Amino acid sequence: MDSEHIETSQAARSEDVTSTIAVGAGPLRVADVVAVARDGRGVHLDPAAIEGIRSSTALIESLASDPVPHYGISTGFGALATTHIPLASRAQLQLGLIRSHAAGSGPHVEREVVRALMVLRLSTLATGRTGVQETTAKAYATMLSAGITPVVHEYGSLGCSGDLAPLAPCALALVGEGEVRDASGALMPAGEALRAFALTPITLREKEGLALINGTDGMLGMLCLALADLEALLRLADVAAAMSVEGLLGTDDVFAADLQALRPHPGQAASAANLRALLADSSMRASRRDGAVYTRVQDAYSLRCAPQVHGAARDTVTHARSVAERELASAVDNPVITSDGRVESNGNFHGAPIAYVLDFLAIVTADVASMSERRTDRFLDTARNHGLPPFLADDPGVDSGHMIAQYTQAAIVSELKRLAAPASVDSIPSSAMQEDHVSMGWHAGRKLRRAIDGLRRVLAVEILTAARGLELRAPLQPGPASRAAIAVLRAAGWAGPGPDRYLGADIELAVQALESGRLLAAVEEVSPLG
């Protein structure tokens, strides 16, 4: 690491705390987790949290010499919980725990996921329920703010006893071992990264090894990131559906508020309201009132039932957010220090509540994508696209238009259906049958991340296809919302309808327009969405 980078990073560490997120002042919000994980925000410990940490450390120190065994303080772990550990071996016990549990394998996990699980572990440390030293919690916060991200591997967590294998490398980095990436993404030994920031490796004391790894932070971090992604993607699904309804000369009458109120699901009402707003002031909408153009009594389900499907997805996300918020207000550790000073074993590390909603979200992600693919397919079939050319081709036969774009969607949707199979119904016993039922919540989170990427790509293809179809309707003009979406695609380099060209590049620019937030922001400037 060059000296200029070190000086810049050290200056960032000393920035005013008003620019960082306070941990321990109360439960973190989902937005706080995303800001630290995805946007690189720094953190600091709230002064009130430091007082609680000091109190819990004193309690653990008082129990360290107690002849009565206390789990995680003077005993082994898991199936070895009945083994008493002499005082002289306890530092070795904690360090050995971290080293042995840093047993992950496979590809490196994304930086944003590692930062999410780190800030969530710090949040639990800040509750004063874990017994860690003040220096340990502060070192964890400093490592986050410095942009030091331990290398975590894909495989290793069973989602019970917490995300042990993913959290262990983060604890290992605190003692100066293992591998990390700096803020620029460069891979280096943890000890070297700590020295670059003048950080002294910590020495683990009683209970600290467990406190640093016994949490559901990996799966909860992925849930927080997924909520942020899906809340944007479901608004984009409404945008895509509106563009398709418009381009396929469908009716918006079915989205009327009084019809939606007959089935009062809040998500459905919100999605229908979005569709009404997105379709406002469209000359194509006006043309549908002309019987010479619009003669259909009912549209296909993929058009007519969009609020029902998108709305149910929204309600599932709302439920998942409520679970996340409860978890963010939790102190997950084992054993845990209670409010009256007891140190008690418990089962709060079990990931079932998070695993279930991660699986629920994978199901709705697959279904929203499935409906999107059906709308795209309607644009390409002359029997159903109401006057548009086959496959939206410039010269059908010579050109294939968007034929294979729909194949790409279909391939992704098929994969999403596979990813919708729940991980949380599986369990493999471990630790000599002491841990005989596990949640597989980490796996649920990993597959949901892949599913969200797939949904974004499916919606990008629909929006790109709808944009082409809408432009082929000229001289009819779409409404302001669709025009705003098309303008973003044009600005990104989309050339519009014409002879066949490299279609993969067009799809990728549409994906980037969605992922960056540019397309949704442009639409919401003219048509605010709920």
Side-chain angles (χ1 to χ4, degrees):
M1 182 184 292
D2 60 69
S3 59
E4 180 181 354
H5 181 74
I6 293 172
E7 290 171 3
T8 301
S9 299
Q10 288 176 333
R13 283 174 48 203
S14 62
E15 63 187 341
D16 192 294
V17 294
T18 57
S19 66
T20 60
I21 290 174
V23 179
L28 290 174
R29 301 170 302 154
V30 170
D32 295 330
V33 177
V34 175
V36 173
R38 187 166 284 168
D39 303 330
R41 287 282 296 278
V43 299
H44 68 274
L45 284 170
D46 185 78
I50 294 173
E51 290 303 313
I53 290 170
R54 289 172 180 168
S55 296
S56 68
T57 302
L59 177 62
I60 294 300
E61 288 174 348
S62 71
L63 295 174
S65 57
D66 192 337
V68 177
H70 297 278
Y71 178 65
I73 300 172
S74 54
T75 72
F77 309 109
L80 300 175
T82 58
T83 303
H84 182 264
I85 307 299
L87 187 62
S89 300
R90 289 180 192 168
Q92 179 185 345
L93 169 72
Q94 300 298 323
L95 182 57
L97 174 74
I98 297 303
R99 287 170 170 168
S100 67
H101 284 51
S105 184
H108 293 182
V109 171
E110 304 85 6
R111 176 184 177 86
E112 67 176 28
V113 172
V114 180
R115 286 183 61 81
L117 71 86
M118 288 176 70
V119 73
L120 289 167
R121 182 69 336 213
L122 180 62
S123 180
T124 286
L125 300 181
T127 63
R129 303 296 184 193
T130 69
V132 298
Q133 302 172 86
E134 177 185 346
T135 53
T136 300
K138 285 184 173 178
Y140 213 101
T142 302
M143 192 162 67
L144 258 174
S145 293
I148 297 172
T149 306
V151 171
V152 172
H153 295 277
E154 177 82 13
Y155 304 111
S157 176
L158 301 181
C160 205
S161 291
D163 290 313
L164 298 173
L167 281 163
C170 302
L172 198 62
L174 285 175
V175 303
E177 298 184 15
E179 287 188 312
V180 301
R181 294 187 184 276
D182 69 7
S184 71
L187 187 66
M188 63 182 63
E192 180 182 330
L194 295 184
R195 285 193 299 274
F197 288 93
L199 297 176
T200 302
I202 65 170
T203 299
L204 296 172
R205 299 184 62 177
E206 287 89 351
K207 176 71 173 62
E208 288 196 297
L210 274 179
L212 288 167
I213 66 174
N214 208 330
T216 53
D217 309 298
M219 62 187 93
L220 177 56
M222 287 187 281
L223 175 58
C224 290
L225 292 165
L227 290 170
D229 289 333
L230 285 170
E231 285 166 358
L233 284 170
L234 289 177
R235 295 200 300 277
L236 282 164
D238 289 340
V239 172
M243 292 176 72
S244 290
V245 168
E246 202 171 13
L248 290 167
L249 303 180
T251 178
D252 60 347
D253 291 347
V254 294
F255 307 140
D258 58 345
L259 291 176
Q260 305 303 315
L262 296 174
R263 196 184 192 191
H265 293 290
Q268 178 178 327
S271 180
N274 283 348
L275 287 164
R276 292 194 302 272
L278 290 162
L279 289 164
D281 301 322
S282 166
S283 65
M284 293 184 187
R285 176 178 177 272
S287 76
R288 290 192 294 267
R289 307 303 180 188
D290 181 355
V293 175
Y294 182 74
T295 58
R296 299 188 305 285
V297 175
Q298 292 187 133
D299 290 324
Y301 288 2
S302 59
L303 304 177
R304 194 189 341 157
C305 301
Q308 285 74 17
V309 172
H310 296 181
R314 282 167 169 263
D315 290 341
T316 304
V317 169
T318 298
H319 170 63
R321 177 175 276 275
S322 72
V323 172
E325 288 170 349
R326 292 185 204 113
E327 290 289 322
L328 289 168
S330 302
V332 177
D333 193 14
N334 181 47
V336 71
I337 299 171
T338 65
S339 59
D340 61 356
R342 303 185 335 270
V343 179
E344 297 285 359
S345 291
N346 65 93
N348 285 336
F349 51 75
H350 199 291
I354 308 170
Y356 293 159
V357 294
L358 288 166
D359 279 337
F360 297 164
L361 293 176
I363 291 170
V364 300
T365 296
D367 202 40
V368 170
S370 180
M371 179 174 258
S372 172
E373 181 275 330
R374 287 293 80 204
R375 290 191 296 263
T376 300
D377 187 62
R378 299 190 75 78
F379 269 110
L380 308 181
D381 183 359
T382 54
R384 295 176 292 148
N385 69 14
H386 308 290
L388 293 170
F391 303 105
L392 306 184
D394 186 65
D395 184 2
V398 174
D399 295 315
S400 296
H402 274 217
M403 179 191 294
I404 308 303
Q406 184 266 331
Y407 284 35
T408 299
Q409 272 190 318
I412 295 170
V413 169
S414 182
E415 174 72 359
L416 296 189
K417 292 174 182 176
R418 185 185 70 80
L419 293 171
S424 57
V425 297
D426 188 26
S427 178
I428 296 179
S430 55
S431 193
M433 293 299 287
Q434 175 74 1
E435 298 167 6
D436 58 356
H437 184 275
V438 296
S439 76
M440 296 298 181
W442 173 267
H443 294 265
R446 299 307 293 159
K447 68 185 182 66
L448 177 58
R449 286 180 64 79
R450 291 191 288 274
I452 286 170
D453 178 69
L455 173 59
R456 183 180 293 112
R457 294 176 184 280
V458 168
L459 291 175
V461 172
E462 182 186 1
I463 288 171
L464 191 68
T465 303
R468 187 178 178 104
L470 286 164
E471 292 209 340
L472 287 170
R473 292 284 185 199
L476 293 176
Q477 289 295 309
S482 292
R483 291 201 303 273
I486 293 170
V488 170
L489 297 177
R490 288 286 196 175
W494 179 59
D500 283 352
R501 56 182 177 268
Y502 178 22
L503 189 52
D506 282 354
I507 292 171
E508 193 56 33
L509 69 82
V511 171
Q512 291 303 315
L514 269 61
E515 187 169 17
S516 68
R518 294 194 312 272
L519 191 141
L520 183 59
V523 170
E524 291 197 306
E525 280 187 14
V526 299
S527 181
L529 303 178

